[in-house]
Amino acid sequence: MIDKSVVKSIVEDWLKDKEYFLVGIEISQEDKIVVEIDHADGVWIEDCADLSKHIEDRLDREDEDYELEVGSAGLGQPFKVLQQYANNIGNEVEVMDADGQKFKGILKQVDGNDFTVTVTERVREEGKKRPVKKDVDHHFHIDQVKYTKYIISFK
């Protein structure tokens, strides 16, 4: 079986001096290698092909046969690394907390493993008969949410 740390080292070598970052590496029992990368401005297919060639040039198919897939972290998929949070500040996201409650709002801030999402909610204010819409900040710790993902909008 192909060693994940070897593949990670090869990918990190390619990432050096680039604005891309590694999202994840998965290696199945059948030696299918899946590498996900991301970039603040999106991922270009040419760069995926270049990384794929970089990996293939450093792994020996005669030593171990493998299948290789290099791609971007999919839009609408849950975030896997901190850099994805930082890259999406100002964008609309959906967060599911540990209790299964969903929050949709604007990713306002990221501070270490904590982040803040501003959600427009109906809030009952004292002295008012009806609830009013108000922006409310919700604070989360990355390890205490089931997922956070970018919301694709066609407005």
Side-chain angles (χ1 to χ4, degrees), residues 14-48:
W14 183 86
L15 291 171
K16 214 177 333 171
D17 302 324
K18 293 181 176 65
E19 293 182 16
Y20 282 95
F21 58 93
L22 179 62
V23 173
I25 297 173
E26 298 292 327
I27 301 177
S28 72
Q29 293 290 348
E30 298 80 32
D31 282 335
K32 178 179 180 179
I33 304 167
V34 178
V35 178
E36 285 184 305
I37 57 173
D38 207 349
H39 186 284
D41 298 326
V43 176
W44 295 92
I45 188 75
E46 295 84 4
D47 292 326
C48 290

Side-chain angles (χ1 to χ4, degrees), residues 7-19:
V7 176
K8 184 176 182 185
S9 176
I10 293 169
V11 172
E12 287 173 344
D13 177 56
W14 183 86
L15 291 171
K16 214 177 333 171
D17 302 324
K18 293 181 176 65
E19 293 182 16

Side-chain angles (χ1 to χ4, degrees), residues 25-139:
I25 297 173
E26 298 292 327
I27 301 177
S28 72
Q29 293 290 348
E30 298 80 32
D31 282 335
K32 178 179 180 179
I33 304 167
V34 178
V35 178
E36 285 184 305
I37 57 173
D38 207 349
H39 186 284
D41 298 326
V43 176
W44 295 92
I45 188 75
E46 295 84 4
D47 292 326
C48 290
D50 186 48
L51 174 55
S52 182
K53 183 174 179 351
H54 182 82
I55 295 168
E56 287 179 355
D57 288 347
R58 285 152 184 81
L59 291 179
D60 186 0
R61 280 201 187 268
E62 292 191 22
D63 183 32
E64 261 189 280
D65 193 28
Y66 60 88
E67 179 183 347
L68 177 62
E69 181 180 312
V70 175
S72 66
L75 269 181
Q77 295 297 312
F79 297 166
K80 295 179 182 174
V81 296
L82 282 171
Q83 188 63 44
Q84 290 176 294
Y85 285 85
N87 287 352
N88 281 283
I89 291 174
N91 291 331
E92 189 175 14
V93 296
E94 178 180 278
V95 177
M96 180 182 283
D97 69 11
D99 296 327
Q101 185 176 358
K102 289 183 182 179
F103 299 85
K104 287 184 181 180
I106 303 299
L107 181 58
K108 180 179 179 179
Q109 172 184 338
V110 178
D111 183 19
N113 287 327
D114 297 312
F115 64 100
T116 303
V117 176
T118 303
V119 179
T120 302
E121 298 179 349
R122 296 177 72 92
V123 177
R124 188 170 293 282
E125 288 188 341
E126 194 173 318
K128 304 251 180 168
K129 286 186 174 185
R130 296 177 186 248
V132 295
K133 288 186 178 182
K134 201 171 194 177
D135 287 342
V136 178
D137 287 346
H138 292 273
H139 306 282

